[in-house]
Amino acid sequence: MRISVIGCGYLGAVHAACMADLGHHVVGVDVDPGKIAALAEGRAPFHEPGFPELLARALDCGRLTFTTDIARTADAQVHFVCVGTPQLPGSDAADMTYVDASVTALVELNKASGRTPIVVGKSTVPVGTAARLAAQLEAVGSTLIWNPEFLREGYAVNDTLSPDRIVYGLPQGPAGEAAREVLDEVYADQLRRKIPRLTTDYATAELVKVAANSFLATKISFINAMAEICELTGADVTQLAGAIGMDDRIGKKFLQAGVGFGGGCLPKDIRAFTARADELGAHDSVGFLREVDKINLRRRDRVVHLAQEALGDRLPGAKVTILGAAFKPHSDDLRDSPAVEVATRLSALGADVVVTDPAALPPLARLHPTLKQAEQIDGALKGADLVVLVTEWREFVILDPVETATLVNAPVIIDGRNVLNPAKWRSAGWTYYGLGRP
Ligand code: UDX
């Protein structure tokens, strides 16, 4: 198939390379010339395990090209819309500028070429968007399918090639049926492997994505709310999560209490959902997501307060080593990262903050040039008055407490992800603070 992928961020770039790997001819389009130049030269603009190899393979076989000129996609049979929908400044709502601009450009392309390719929306959008865009596209002969993407950063390649499920939001009738057949051909490999494919109406398909992310965010904030109660009662949230997770109906995943969720998806998606619910007159239906957001942000406060408690009036000028900058391991994404918030807040309180991260230091230098950073963990730890683990990279989780104690000035650690063994660290002489742990 001849495919275009509009928007080459995490979602689009990985989708484009995966589609080329499956045998399709793909043109990736983005308005950012720097990103397009990097991708065309085989340089990944972000850290994503397995992506550089996939990109190189797809470029080498000649099936993947990149451009800033959407007109070069005129012969595509399928256009995938993969542009971002970030949070609007000063609002909870999503910024639809890029989605709207992409669809407008595709409408113009149809008019100029006389062709009627199908358009597949993958961006995360407020419910009701697909129906609005479908009307614009139908007017120039194209059918829209809403096909939400569920990939996780750090596992993006595998999640794209082998998703848990594929959802098509479709119009009823022959046009929808014909478009479904085209998209089935694009995903022939996945469908042959019996990955479930569900067809729904547009609104359901849009909601599958936001509902899934809302559920995941709620699960994390639920256990973090329990952590707050544990802190008041002396209970241990890690044991609590282990015990409730043994109930199959609850399950163990996404019950890791700590400094909470961040990234380019969960925080902005739950906020955009509450904003959209308000527009629909359903303020109360997802009102709980505001609490989910508040609980999540309170965990960042908690880490800052623990640092203040640990250092007292020695905080100004104290050397604080922050282990982690990315919002989660296997990523260099700093969007809404709890680690960055903790680092900048402690720095604003006067601490001498040094950050180390295996992947995210280059973007950190660009976005937060005033934060000191250290490439080597040992260098970062040297002379520390306090260590704060905020991203659970394996390099940090396997630190040896005895050896680490020889590097620091004072053996005090805040384990913001509850990934260290408190008994082991305490017996090596450390003052250990977890979140929701005694
Ligand atoms: C998420 C969804 O998982 C994915 O399906 C969707 O397509 C995009 O949003 P991602 O943002 O890559 O993916 O990260 P995810 O692995 O879901 O983690 C989100 C955040 O929650 C991270 O900051 C992580 O550290 C945190 N988290 C996760 C917890 O604090 N506790 C947990 O138990 C699990």
Side-chain angles (χ1 to χ4, degrees):
M1 304 286 283
R2 291 184 312 280
I3 289 174
S4 93
V5 175
I6 298 160
C8 289
Y10 274 98
L11 163 58
V14 174
H15 189 70
C18 286
M19 292 301 107
D21 204 46
L22 291 175
H24 303 302
H25 291 265
V26 185
V27 185
V29 188
D30 202 286
V31 291
D32 179 345
K35 197 181 280 175
I36 287 299
L39 286 164
E41 286 165 19
R43 281 184 289 117
F46 45 78
H47 177 90
E48 182 60 46
F51 177 63
E53 297 80 358
L54 179 79
L55 178 64
R57 225 173 29 237
L59 289 169
D60 282 351
C61 72
R63 283 196 300 269
L64 179 61
T65 55
F66 291 96
T67 181
T68 53
D69 180 9
I70 201 163
R72 287 202 31 217
T73 70
D75 71 342
Q77 297 158 282
V78 182
H79 295 288
F80 282 97
V81 176
C82 296
V83 293
T85 52
Q87 189 174 342
L88 273 172
S91 159
D92 281 343
D95 182 351
M96 297 301 293
T97 315
Y98 310 108
V99 171
D100 289 341
S102 306
V103 170
T104 304
L106 291 176
V107 165
E108 293 308 315
L109 207 58
N110 275 19
K111 282 187 192 160
S113 68
R115 303 174 69 103
T116 55
I118 71 159
V119 176
V120 181
K122 293 190 86 64
S123 307
T124 301
V125 294
V127 56
T129 303
R132 175 171 66 76
L133 301 177
Q136 279 173 260
L137 290 161
E138 263 165 35
V140 290
S142 276
T143 302
L144 176 71
I145 298 188
W146 209 260
N147 171 224
E149 179 57 55
F150 305 99
L151 68 79
R152 296 159 299 168
E153 290 181 21
Y155 304 91
V157 174
N158 184 60
D159 286 352
T160 303
L161 292 173
S162 300
D164 295 333
R165 73 296 206 192
I166 301 174
V167 177
Y168 296 179
L170 282 170
Q172 280 186 346
E177 198 43 36
R180 182 190 61 72
E181 280 173 20
V182 176
L183 194 54
D184 278 354
E185 215 173 315
V186 174
Y187 291 138
D189 176 79
Q190 284 96 330
L191 298 178
R192 243 193 319 272
R193 285 186 284 125
K194 304 276 180 249
I195 290 173
R197 190 258 280 128
L198 313 163
T199 57
T200 68
D201 52 71
Y202 285 138
T204 306
E206 292 167 314
L207 280 171
V208 172
K209 175 60 190 272
V210 279
N213 274 359
S214 298
F215 191 85
L216 294 172
T218 302
K219 209 169 171 193
I220 300 168
S221 277
F222 172 82
I223 202 64
N224 281 333
M226 295 305 109
E228 292 184 334
I229 302 296
C230 288
E231 279 154 15
L232 296 170
T233 54
D236 184 329
V237 75
T238 61
Q239 289 184 337
L240 175 67
I244 63 172
M246 283 177 187
D247 183 331
D248 271 354
R249 294 169 303 174
I250 296 173
K252 283 188 191 310
K253 290 182 184 163
F254 273 65
L255 282 184
Q256 180 72 33
V259 68
F261 59 80
C265 292
L266 297 192
K268 70 110 178 151
D269 286 352
I270 61 169
R271 290 172 198 151
F273 197 11
T274 58
R276 181 65 185 132
D278 284 353
E279 286 173 2
L280 293 168
H283 177 93
D284 292 344
S285 303
V286 293
F288 69 94
L289 290 177
R290 289 177 228 276
E291 287 306 319
V292 165
D293 198 9
K294 281 190 207 156
I295 294 163
N296 190 52
L297 297 177
R298 278 206 300 273
R299 293 286 81 190
R300 302 176 186 190
D301 297 342
R302 171 72 181 169
V303 172
V304 173
H305 293 159
L306 281 175
Q308 288 173 307
E309 189 183 312
L311 291 166
D313 49 15
R314 291 176 296 117
L315 193 148
K319 178 168 175 183
V320 178
T321 301
I322 306 284
L323 299 178
F327 82 103
K328 68 172 193 180
H330 314 295
S331 168
D332 63 352
D333 197 340
L334 301 179
R335 286 177 293 174
D336 214 330
S337 168
V340 172
E341 182 170 337
V342 167
T344 49
R345 282 174 64 179
L346 290 176
S347 174
L349 289 168
D352 178 17
V353 168
V354 180
V355 183
T356 187
D357 187 290
L361 293 186
L364 187 71
R366 271 197 308 279
L367 296 168
H368 300 277
T370 55
L371 278 178
K372 269 194 225 163
Q373 38 173 271
E375 295 242 343
Q376 303 302 327
I377 302 178
D378 283 10
L381 289 165
K382 217 170 169 64
D385 299 301
L386 171 68
V387 180
V388 187
L389 189 161
V390 255
T391 313
E392 69 279 31
W393 285 97
R394 189 176 144 73
E395 288 87 333
F396 305 148
V397 176
I398 62 170
L399 279 174
D400 176 55
V402 177
E403 245 172 68
T404 309
T406 64
L407 298 169
V408 296
N409 182 42
V412 185
I413 188 158
I414 299 172
D415 177 5
R417 293 287 180 180
N418 289 338
V419 286
L420 304 176
N421 179 333
K424 219 168 120 192
W425 282 74
R426 287 189 177 122
S427 70
W430 287 78
T431 302
Y432 171 95
Y433 298 89
L435 292 185
R437 300 172 107 173

